[in-house]
Amino acid sequence: MTEARGPAGPGGAAHARYAPGTPCWVSLMVHGLTATQEFYRELFGWEFQPGPEQLGPYVRALLDGREVAGIGQLPPDRHLPVAWTPYLASDDVDSTAETVRLCGGTIGVGPLDAADAGRLAIGSDPAGAVFGVWQAAAHLGTNVTGVPGTPAWNELLTFETAGVAKFYETVFGYEREAVVSPDFDYVTLHLGGRPVAGIHGVGNALPRDRGPHWMTYFEVADTDAALTLVTGLGGRVLAPAHDSAHGRVATVADPEGARFALIQGPR
């Protein structure tokens, strides 16, 4: 992880419409919707309300009444990974989907309407990492950040950054800033001079069973306490807590195997 969002006020930062290319939502598709809700309710304090069901049963997670993320039931006819998937904002999802295809990516779902909430597509980059595209209507996306239980950063773990960074630059208009280091392959993606996501080339360190994938970092008040909760609720610790320049970070998986990271900001 490199740069994360700046601090928000005590109530968290609320968002208006997201600029195109900005990660605006994260969504998880699972087999057991009820059990997964219980896991994240206990871990992050989320409450849930029904959402659009174009792909099957779906709920939105809320903190203090404000939307944070989504969890859906995996349709039996869709071969999607059990994984947290970031959605990148678009003013025209159909045009973005066509650009994804022209640049060597694929579109596996959509574009399709999600009731009056907006229009979506789910695709993958040339290396196979899955991401979503969201054209907002009634639903703008994540409505609060900067407090525990909210997304703090999205990072692509892939084999190498060079080719795949070019794909995201072309499709979403990012500017890139590389870390100058012979042994650390990292690119930060910027929009309007602001960091919005990262790409980390890890070569053969990618999990064999997972391949290239996006990782969502969720903010927590205490990373070590959150790890205890994760294991107590049936999840797993994949990388133990460690201190970084951006806070105390750990990587975990929920009971169905969806990977995500926890980050406690610097004190």
Side-chain angles (χ1 to χ4, degrees), residues 35 38-40 42-43 223-237 252-255 260 262:
E38 287 304 313
F39 173 85
Y40 288 100
E42 293 295 323
L43 181 60
T223 299
D224 296 274
L227 290 183
T228 301
L229 256 182
V230 165
T231 55
L233 294 167
R236 293 179 295 135
V237 177
V252 299
D254 70 17
F260 59 101
L262 305 170

Side-chain angles (χ1 to χ4, degrees), residues 152-227:
W153 185 249
N154 288 282
E155 185 171 280
L156 172 61
L157 300 176
T158 191
F159 294 109
E160 53 83 28
T161 63
V164 77
K166 184 64 178 175
F167 167 83
Y168 286 98
E169 276 183 300
T170 305
V171 175
F172 294 104
Y174 300 126
E175 301 158 354
R176 69 168 109 169
E177 180 180 299
V179 173
V180 181
S181 170
D183 55 356
F184 188 58
D185 184 13
Y186 198 100
V187 169
T188 306
L189 301 175
H190 292 248
L191 285 172
R194 185 174 70 91
V196 295
I199 303 177
H200 190 183
V202 297
N204 293 328
L206 272 175
R208 289 178 180 270
D209 62 338
R210 192 66 188 85
H213 61 283
W214 280 91
M215 175 84 72
T216 298
Y217 286 70
F218 289 97
E219 188 164 333
V220 292
D222 184 324
T223 299
D224 296 274
L227 290 183

Side-chain angles (χ1 to χ4, degrees), residues 110-133:
L112 56 85
D113 290 325
D116 64 348
R119 190 163 171 80
L120 69 88
I122 301 173
S124 57
D125 66 29
V130 174
F131 62 93
V133 183

Side-chain angles (χ1 to χ4, degrees), residues 244-257:
S244 75
H246 309 284
R248 191 157 175 79
V249 180
T251 306
V252 299
D254 70 17
E256 286 206 20

Side-chain angles (χ1 to χ4, degrees), residues 16-42:
R17 182 173 292 273
Y18 285 83
T22 309
C24 62
W25 186 245
V26 288
S27 195
L28 172 64
M29 302 298 285
V30 296
H31 299 286
L33 186 56
T34 301
T36 299
Q37 287 179 75
E38 287 304 313
F39 173 85
Y40 288 100
R41 179 182 285 114
E42 293 295 323

